[in-house]
Amino acid sequence: MAYRLPPLGWIRAFEAGARLGSFTAAADELNLTSTAVSHQIRSLEKFLGYPLFERLPRSVRLTGMGAAYLPDVRRALEQLATTTVKLFGTGAGATVTVRAPLSFVSLFLAPRLQRFQSAYPGISIQLFSLVWADALPDESADIDIRFGGGNWPGYEIEMLLKEQSVVVVPTHLNDVARQGQQKLFTELAKQPLIHIVGYEDHWAESFRLLGMQPPSEKRSIRVDNSLAALMLAANGLGSAIVLKFYADAATALLPVKAPTNFTLPVESAHYLLTPQSREAAKPEALLFRAWLIEEAQQYQTPGKASNRRKSR
């Protein structure tokens, strides 16, 4: 079967020009002259029979047909790059830099990362942690993961993982929990509670959902991330409310329990962010991104793959 396809060079020039909004910037990225990029794109437009760009005085803008063409072009290029790396390996010293919240790195990535390394031993991983969702952008990161409401101007955003929160308690409260949810929360009202900065209302909201009076905060402890909250709980300093997949990892590693089926809905989620001005992603980063999305999907739908290995 003969495929009616334009030359790959024309497609690459189109994608770079669309992403960067400039034929000059596309030429710099592709190591070509601006004239060569402009010629390739005009050749592509002639081949397709439609204009793909509006030529403006100092920039270019996609036409309706160009905007409709771009997403599938980008997916096709990414798939080609990813498949090439899967089958033929990477160049020497290939590295993927990942920036993510501290708790996500410690409690979600760490228990799973060995699977990626086993599958792709030629790719090195650099992990950089952050605490606040509004941390300044880092253009050196290949993968940027944030927790929040999904509004980061200047980024292309894709939801990675959304989960409810659960109550995690020190093991000495496990016997109380066996007496029922109401009994547990009655006891928790007398105990120190750990609050995560930015989500201090979670305990009060949980008590209200159960029809109970929120307790005094006089004996509370505040921390700025879920990992610290879980470590404090493990040392008997209070109970915490954290995302369920953090609790799942913690109960396998630390002397804490998530003994009740109570869940607290959470509006925020973990997102994958890509700067809109970013150069084309390197294939190793695309491979890691695809692997990470699959891990998140398998966590949320455990029956998706019958041969899924346990993550903890």
Side-chain angles (χ1 to χ4, degrees):
M1 176 180 175
Y3 293 97
R4 183 180 178 272
L5 294 173
L8 181 60
W10 299 359
I11 292 291
R12 292 181 66 212
F14 163 69
E15 190 279 332
R19 174 167 36 84
L20 299 171
S22 164
F23 290 171
T24 301
D28 290 341
E29 180 177 298
L30 298 172
N31 198 27
L32 298 170
T33 65
S34 297
T35 301
V37 168
S38 181
H39 175 73
Q40 289 184 348
I41 291 175
R42 286 195 182 279
S43 297
L44 178 61
E45 290 174 322
K46 184 177 179 180
F47 178 89
L48 297 173
Y50 289 94
L52 300 174
F53 290 96
E54 296 177 35
R55 275 73 171 175
L56 306 175
R58 294 186 179 180
S59 63
V60 293
R61 182 171 59 204
L62 287 170
T63 63
M65 290 300 290
Y69 193 38
L70 179 61
D72 284 336
V73 164
R74 184 167 288 159
R75 279 192 291 270
L77 290 172
E78 290 180 351
Q79 183 62 53
L80 179 60
T82 302
T83 300
T84 301
V85 170
K86 281 183 178 179
L87 291 177
F88 302 105
T90 63
T95 301
V96 175
T97 301
V98 181
R99 192 169 78 142
L102 174 63
S103 301
F104 187 88
V105 169
S106 303
L107 297 168
F108 189 83
L109 271 184
R112 295 167 169 80
L113 200 54
Q114 180 59 42
R115 294 208 284 273
F116 181 84
Q117 291 188 312
S118 296
Y120 308 105
I123 300 177
S124 299
I125 304 296
Q126 290 189 122
L127 295 175
F128 294 100
S129 300
L130 55 87
V131 173
W132 301 110
D134 57 355
L136 293 175
D138 182 358
E139 293 291 331
S140 67
D142 298 307
I143 304 290
D144 199 344
I145 302 165
R146 303 286 184 95
F147 182 73
N151 182 27
W152 289 276
Y155 286 90
E156 294 178 4
I157 299 167
E158 180 180 3
M159 185 181 290
L160 176 66
L161 197 56
K162 184 175 176 62
E163 184 64 282
Q164 296 178 323
S165 286
V166 298
V167 174
V168 176
V169 304
T171 52
H172 73 262
L173 289 176
N174 208 36
D175 289 340
V176 178
R178 292 193 185 99
Q179 301 175 45
Q181 183 170 274
Q182 202 76 12
K183 180 68 174 179
L184 174 63
F185 272 80
T186 299
E187 182 61 28
L188 289 176
K190 307 172 187 176
Q191 301 279 337
L193 299 176
I194 302 166
H195 298 265
I196 299 174
V197 174
Y199 304 93
E200 291 95 339
D201 62 336
H202 279 189
W203 275 114
E205 180 64 17
S206 297
F207 277 89
R208 281 194 289 267
L209 286 174
L210 293 170
M212 301 175 68
Q213 182 68 26
S216 166
E217 296 187 13
K218 290 182 179 179
R219 300 183 61 195
S220 66
I221 301 174
R222 282 173 170 75
V223 296
D224 62 5
N225 65 85
S226 297
L227 180 61
L230 289 164
M231 292 302 297
L232 289 173
N235 283 279
L237 294 172
S239 299
I241 296 177
V242 300
L243 295 171
K244 185 179 182 300
F245 60 88
Y246 289 167
D248 288 344
T251 54
L253 298 170
L254 300 170
V256 294
K257 299 292 182 183
T260 172
N261 60 6
F262 173 82
T263 58
L264 178 69
V266 178
E267 291 300 319
S268 297
H270 284 87
Y271 292 86
L272 284 167
L273 276 63
T274 303
Q276 293 173 346
S277 59
R278 163 67 60 80
E279 294 183 358
K282 56 190 180 186
E284 297 82 9
L286 294 173
L287 200 60
F288 186 91
R289 181 189 181 95
W291 169 82
L292 183 59
I293 290 172
E294 183 177 2
E295 288 290 329
Q297 289 173 343
Q298 288 185 355
Y299 172 80
Q300 292 184 306
T301 55
K304 180 182 175 184
S306 59
N307 61 346
R308 179 192 177 210
R309 288 169 290 180
K310 294 292 185 180
S311 63
R312 56 187 182 276

